[in-house]
Amino acid sequence: MNGTDTPAGARAAYRSGAVMPTSGHASGFTQANLVILPRDWAWDMLLFGQRNPQPVPLLDVTEPGSPHTELAPGADLRTDLPLYRVWRDGQLAEELPDISGLWREDLVSFLIGCSFSFERALLDAGVPVRNIEQGRNVAMFRTNRACRPAGRLSGELVVSMRPVPAALVPTAVQVTGRMPQVHGAPVHVGDPAGLGIADLGTPDFGEPIEFEDGDVPVFWACGVTPQAALMASRPPFAITHAPGHMFVTDVPDAVYRHP
């Protein structure tokens, strides 16, 4: 996609007002989920990530009041994502392409690994990524699995789902299992009812993905899980990325690939 094939180009496009899911952008570079909370809630979030490392793999935590991260020197977390969500008392208050006007000196930003970062590795291994093929945001679902609570934060696991040809499921498991900092191996393969999901055609976040003949659903822990925790735990104020609209870092995906 023009202008979004490099991390700096992608961030510049979003800063200029382009609003679009980031899957497939700056291929080969790590993408991150974003959660921003007041300092009073930062310990709870840090502990929630430590206790739930598969859905909440922490890549960086900023100093209070800093909109900058070492994952992309010079980038600005207030402007360089395509779309943000603003939460008040656990309710989605608004979606904005720029949060500069809401910035406060007590805000702490958490950058969390994202499954978009292993899509390049899947493609390199010959595993098709249907959401990229179809130009859609990945499908994400709430599950019946509870995360381990941490302080005031609790909530259910959220998963992303990708259809994978049955013969390539072992490859997908092996490839993503070598990348635990961007969610790692799947948490479930096959019948969605095993996760309490009733209908793959109606995701809770993102867009439905069409299956090809021979595909089976494969589910990975998802960085939208903290948003479910925010809804359940109702902090007075929080900001997150909009699902599928990530922060594109300067870190190559290969940095997070284990041999």
Side-chain angles (χ1 to χ4, degrees):
M1 192 171 294
N2 291 338
T4 62
D5 55 347
T6 67
R11 294 193 300 267
Y14 312 146
R15 197 181 313 125
S16 297
V19 177
M20 63 190 81
T22 54
S23 177
H25 294 194
S27 181
F29 289 88
T30 298
Q31 298 193 21
N33 303 275
L34 177 67
V35 176
I36 302 172
L37 284 164
R39 186 173 186 169
D40 176 54
W41 282 74
W43 172 252
D44 301 74
M45 186 66 227
L46 189 66
L47 189 61
F48 190 71
Q50 189 274 333
R51 289 181 174 175
N52 301 280
Q54 197 162 10
V56 194
L58 294 172
L59 303 182
D60 193 23
V61 181
T62 69
E63 293 290 337
S66 173
H68 305 297
T69 170
E70 292 187 356
L71 301 178
D76 192 321
L77 295 173
R78 299 170 295 189
T79 60
D80 290 2
L81 283 73
L83 193 63
Y84 302 81
R85 284 185 158 186
V86 181
W87 303 85
R88 299 185 188 277
D89 297 315
Q91 300 293 317
L92 178 59
E94 56 186 328
E95 291 189 333
L96 298 170
D98 185 319
I99 56 167
S100 299
L102 297 174
W103 195 254
R104 300 173 0 192
E105 291 305 307
D106 68 330
L107 294 179
V108 179
S109 299
F110 295 83
L111 284 301
I112 299 164
C114 170
S115 62
F116 288 174
S117 300
F118 61 54
E119 290 180 338
R120 179 72 262 168
L122 289 173
L123 291 170
D124 289 345
V127 179
V129 179
R130 303 297 188 205
N131 50 291
I132 292 179
E133 291 177 354
Q134 297 167 26
R136 297 180 181 179
N137 197 354
V138 73
M140 293 162 271
F141 301 87
R142 297 172 180 268
T143 74
N144 57 7
R145 295 188 185 181
C147 291
R148 184 181 172 191
R152 292 165 288 182
L153 285 175
S154 62
E156 73 270 22
L157 173 70
V158 176
V159 294
S160 61
M161 187 283 300
R162 292 168 179 81
V164 175
L168 293 176
V169 168
T171 301
V173 172
Q174 290 177 340
V175 167
T176 58
R178 292 195 292 267
M179 303 181 73
Q181 288 167 292
V182 291
H183 300 305
V187 297
H188 185 74
V189 176
D191 185 7
L195 292 173
I197 298 170
D199 182 4
L200 292 179
T202 56
D204 295 297
F205 311 95
E207 298 176 273
I209 306 300
E210 296 177 9
F211 283 65
E212 301 290 336
D213 289 344
D215 285 351
V216 297
V218 181
F219 302 87
W220 283 268
C222 178
V224 174
T225 298
Q227 296 191 28
L230 295 180
M231 286 184 269
S233 306
R234 304 175 67 84
F237 179 75
I239 300 171
T240 68
H241 70 289
H245 298 71
M246 307 299 177
F247 178 69
V248 179
T249 80
D250 291 339
V251 181
D253 292 337
V255 169
Y256 297 119
R257 293 187 198 179
H258 294 195

